[in-house]
Amino acid sequence: MDAIAVITPVWTHFDVAKAALKNGKHVFVEKPFTSSVAQAEELINLAEQKNLKIMVDHTFLITAAVIKIRKLLDEGILGKLYYYDSTRVNLGLFQHDCNVIWDLAPHDLSIMNHLLHENAEAISATGQTHLNGHEDIAFITAYFPEKMIAHINVNWLSPVKIRTTLIGGEKRMLVWNDLEADEKLKIYDKGVEMNGNGHAKQGLYDLLVSYRSGDMWAPRVEQAEALKVELKYFVDCVRMSQTPINDGFAGLRVVQLLEAADRSLKERGKTVTL
C-alpha cells in the first residue's frame, strides 16, 4: 500500500496532497483538509480519477465516545434535538498561518456534521483579534432545520483547558467531557415540557411549563489511542477499498463551514446561507 501522510501547515495541504495523488499515493491529510472549498473539490476529483483514497484527520469521529453518541442519537434516546453546544478552549497554541476557527473548530464541526442527521442551513460567527493579527477568540452559530441550533466556542486565551459538548433533546440531555478519565459521557433524564393543565389565575408560566428531572447514567466508553485506531482504519479502508467516514467529502463539508464562518467573522457576524 502506497500512502502519504500530509502533516504540514494548512496552506501547504493542497499542493502536497495533489502531488501525492498525481503520483498514485493514497493520502491521509491533517485537519483542516484544505484552505478553500475549491482546493478540496479539486483533490476529491483527482482522487476519484486515480481511484485513490483520501482520509482527513478528523480523529474524534473514530473515538469510542463519538461512536457511542452517534448510536444513542440513532436510537432516539435523546428524542428530537434542540441544541448542540461545544466549548474547545485553552491557553495557546497560537498559529501564525490561520485564526482560531481554522485551528480548533474543524474538530467540532466534523463531529457536529457526523452526529446530526441534517446539514446546517446557515452560519454566523463573531470573534476578535488581540495578539498576532489572527482572531484568537470566536463564537460560531449554525442554524439547522426544525429549530435545531448549534453553538461552538473556540478560544486560545482561556486560563483553563475545556473540551465539553452538550446535546439537548426533547427526552434527555447529554454531556460529553473529553477530559474526564472515566465517565466521559453522561446522560441526564431531564427536560422541560409544555402542558395545558392548571388555572389561568396561576399565571401563564405555571400554566404552560413543567420540569422533569430523572436519573443520570454514564454509558461505558472504551479507552483507546485515537490516532492509532484512526490509522488502522485508514489502512483497512485502503486495503478493502472502502470509503472512510472521514473521507474527502467529509473534509469538504467542514471546509465549507469554515469558509462561511470566516466570511461571517469578517463581516461582524453577518449570517451566511449555506
Side-chain angles (χ1 to χ4, degrees):
M1 183 191 86
D2 292 328
I4 296 291
V6 183
I7 308 172
T8 57
V10 60
W11 58 271
T12 68
H13 286 185
F14 173 72
D15 289 334
V16 177
K18 183 176 180 179
L21 291 168
K22 280 189 170 183
N23 284 276
K25 313 294 185 183
H26 304 283
V27 292
F28 177 86
V29 187
E30 191 178 34
K31 62 80 187 170
F33 183 23
T34 58
S35 298
S36 71
V37 167
Q39 290 178 347
E41 291 173 339
E42 184 173 340
L43 291 182
I44 290 170
N45 291 334
L46 181 57
E48 289 181 341
Q49 292 169 16
K50 297 280 190 176
N51 195 29
L52 294 168
K53 300 294 182 187
I54 294 174
M55 178 182 280
V56 183
D57 184 25
H58 297 315
T59 315
F60 285 97
L61 306 191
I62 315 297
T63 61
V66 171
I67 291 171
K68 174 64 76 171
I69 296 171
R70 176 65 183 261
K71 184 173 185 292
L72 292 168
L73 296 182
D74 288 346
E75 292 173 349
I77 299 298
L78 272 60
K80 179 183 177 181
L81 296 185
Y82 291 156
Y83 67 86
Y84 178 99
D85 192 344
S86 184
T87 301
R88 185 174 300 274
V89 304
N90 53 264
L91 191 60
L93 297 166
F94 283 82
Q95 305 298 317
H96 299 289
D97 61 336
C98 67
N99 62 25
V100 70
I101 286 180
W102 284 85
D103 179 41
L104 296 182
H107 288 306
D108 303 287
L109 294 173
S110 65
I111 296 165
M112 180 186 78
N113 284 344
H114 181 65
L115 292 178
L116 304 182
H117 296 112
E118 301 279 355
N119 292 326
E121 296 178 323
I123 198 165
S124 64
T126 56
Q128 195 53 268
T129 301
H130 297 94
L131 297 175
N132 71 345
H134 296 295
E135 289 82 5
D136 39 48
I137 298 174
F139 306 92
I140 303 169
T141 302
Y143 303 90
F144 291 80
E146 298 184 8
K147 299 182 180 180
M148 164 67 192
I149 192 168
H151 181 260
I152 295 171
N153 172 10
V154 286
N155 186 345
W156 282 332
L157 294 176
S158 169
V160 295
K161 184 176 182 178
I162 302 173
R163 300 285 187 269
T164 304
T165 299
L166 287 77
I167 305 177
E170 185 178 19
K171 296 179 181 178
R172 296 177 182 86
M173 301 178 185
L174 178 149
V175 178
W176 170 26
N177 184 349
D178 195 51
L179 300 184
E180 280 281 354
D182 298 317
E183 297 182 345
K184 289 184 179 293
L185 298 182
K186 293 180 180 178
I187 313 297
Y188 292 84
D189 186 13
K190 291 187 176 184
V192 181
E193 297 174 353
M194 306 293 288
N195 64 76
N197 298 323
H199 302 285
K201 66 180 181 180
Q202 292 178 283
L204 183 62
Y205 182 84
D206 293 331
L207 177 68
L208 296 179
V209 180
S210 64
Y211 297 91
R212 183 187 72 259
S213 182
D215 294 334
M216 182 280 292
W217 75 94
R220 178 179 173 82
V221 176
E222 299 292 337
Q223 300 289 344
E225 174 55 49
L227 184 57
K228 181 179 179 181
V229 174
E230 185 183 27
L231 291 176
K232 181 182 183 301
Y233 176 58
F234 177 50
V235 171
D236 291 342
C237 286
V238 171
R239 286 178 173 170
M240 294 183 283
S241 193
Q242 295 179 345
T243 301
I245 57 174
N246 48 340
D247 65 353
F249 287 102
L252 168 62
R253 286 192 291 274
V254 170
V255 173
Q256 287 171 332
L257 293 172
L258 291 170
E259 270 198 356
D262 216 24
R263 177 181 163 192
S264 175
L265 187 67
K266 298 301 187 281
E267 299 184 32
R268 293 188 174 274
K270 179 180 178 181
T271 300
V272 177
T273 302
L274 298 166

